[in-house]
Amino acid sequence: MYRFFPPYSDYRKLIYHLKGCQGLRNKGSSPFTSIVSAAKVCGAASESPSVKSLRLLVADQDFSFKAGQWVDFFIPGVSVVGGFSICSSPRLLEQERVIELAVKYTNHPPALWVHNTCTLDCEVAVRVGGEFFFDPQPADASRNLVLIAGGVGINPLLSILRHAADLLREQANKRNGYEIGTIKLFYSAKNTSELLFKKNILDLVNEFPEKIACSLHVTKQTTQINAELKPYITEGRITEKEIRDHISRETLFYICGPPPMTDFFSKQLENNHVPKEHICFEKWW
């Protein structure tokens, strides 16, 4: 666990500075929390040729989020505010005060900063937002989950998948808490090198073989697929039939990817009489 909290006055100066950034003001109907917390970069790694992950140690003990939400990402000296989905579980924040983000390289100033300027110990600030999340309460009815991801849209769905795994561990250890059903992840990317967090995903599939399953799709694979991944790989896009086979009254669908993909699957689910309240999607391209 990382420990590097500076004096409160230092964080206060950072937050005061960031209140001048574009987009920080709360609006009456905004899906933001009121907490803007300073954070420090405590880890970074390349997840793919185009995606860099960050681990952030969050200063404010009252800062919290729900699996699937994103953060406004405030960078000193950068006037544009970033918006990045959290890909870690709320449990990691509870235990270590850490959240994880994965940022795709683009010309957007916050993404450029993450890829070209950010180093360990850089100070930023974050605020949670978004109405796309999975946050069941212990007494809620058991639900199955179908998660449909395209490209970097895996980020919020990985947070949900990791949260579901934490709920399964809690149920197994304590015999109480929310009783989740099965979880199926459909995840599509250009090739296996762009399938983010594939090892983390397969680790969860192997840990909970009766509860968690995945179908990994590649649309432009040009190299040989390694033996470990091959049983989970399908060449070609996710199909309507694959999703339709998982429709039931007990199933919630979460979709995050490029807008045409999100629009297609949400419309197909509606056409197959899935209630709108059981279809959740996030679009931020």
Side-chain angles (χ1 to χ4, degrees):
M1 182 172 178
Y2 300 89
R3 296 280 186 186
F4 48 65
F5 295 114
Y8 171 73
S9 60
D10 291 347
Y11 279 119
R12 190 173 178 180
K13 289 176 185 176
L14 177 64
I15 298 300
Y16 181 79
H17 168 77
L18 289 171
K19 283 186 177 178
C21 286
Q22 170 186 333
L24 185 59
R25 295 180 181 84
N26 281 316
K27 297 181 180 179
S29 60
S30 172
F32 293 107
T33 65
S34 59
I35 295 174
V36 181
S37 175
K40 188 175 284 190
V41 177
C42 62
S46 293
E47 295 297 334
S48 80
S50 62
V51 175
K52 183 177 180 179
S53 64
L54 295 181
R55 286 172 61 91
L56 301 177
L57 184 59
V58 180
D60 195 314
Q61 296 294 317
D62 293 325
F63 179 94
S64 65
F65 74 98
K66 298 172 183 178
Q69 289 188 301
W70 44 268
V71 291
D72 258 357
F73 190 81
F74 303 98
I75 306 163
V78 178
S79 61
V80 179
V81 179
F84 304 131
S85 290
I86 302 169
C87 54
S88 52
S89 166
R91 187 67 52 86
L92 181 65
L93 178 66
E94 293 168 8
Q95 294 177 342
E96 301 184 28
R97 302 310 305 162
V98 166
I99 62 172
E100 296 178 349
L101 311 176
V103 180
K104 187 176 179 66
Y105 182 89
T106 69
N107 288 324
H108 191 55
L112 283 176
W113 181 87
V114 168
H115 281 264
N116 298 335
T117 305
C118 176
T119 60
L120 292 180
D121 294 338
C122 278
E123 291 186 343
V124 296
V126 289
R127 180 182 61 181
V128 171
E131 298 176 328
F132 177 86
F133 56 80
F134 176 62
D135 184 39
Q137 302 306 302
D140 288 350
S142 180
R143 298 290 188 188
N144 302 321
L145 300 182
V146 171
L147 313 176
I148 307 170
V152 77
I154 188 62
N155 290 352
L157 300 185
L158 182 66
S159 177
I160 291 173
L161 182 64
R162 285 169 161 169
H163 184 47
D166 286 334
L167 294 172
L168 288 169
R169 294 184 189 106
E170 182 178 332
Q171 181 69 22
N173 293 335
K174 299 181 179 179
R175 303 294 179 185
N176 59 20
Y178 179 73
E179 187 172 345
I180 195 167
T182 60
I183 306 103
K184 180 63 180 276
L185 169 67
F186 293 93
Y187 178 21
S188 177
K190 183 171 64 175
N191 53 52
T192 53
S193 68
E194 293 289 345
L195 285 169
L196 307 178
F197 306 107
K198 47 189 172 284
K199 183 181 184 306
N200 303 102
I201 292 167
L202 295 187
D203 285 347
L204 294 178
V205 170
N206 291 326
E207 183 180 355
F208 301 102
E210 296 180 359
K211 285 288 190 175
I212 300 178
C214 72
S215 178
L216 307 178
H217 288 244
V218 290
T219 57
K220 296 180 180 180
Q221 185 74 20
T222 58
T223 59
Q224 187 172 357
I225 298 168
N226 70 44
E228 182 185 12
L229 274 179
K230 202 160 190 178
Y232 305 95
I233 295 289
T234 299
E235 298 201 43
R237 298 181 183 276
I238 303 166
T239 67
E240 177 193 352
K241 181 183 183 306
E242 289 176 287
I243 304 303
R244 191 169 61 239
D245 288 345
H246 288 79
I247 292 175
S248 75
R249 289 183 298 175
E250 295 77 30
T251 301
L252 303 178
F253 294 84
Y254 287 83
I255 312 165
C256 188
M261 173 186 177
T262 301
D263 292 342
F264 174 79
F265 284 115
S266 58
K267 184 64 175 177
Q268 293 303 318
L269 289 168
E270 286 185 33
N271 290 344
N272 282 279
H273 311 294
V274 176
K276 285 188 176 182
E277 60 269 23
H278 287 189
I279 306 169
C280 309
F281 55 86
E282 182 86 294
K283 290 195 291 188
W284 28 258
W285 268 264

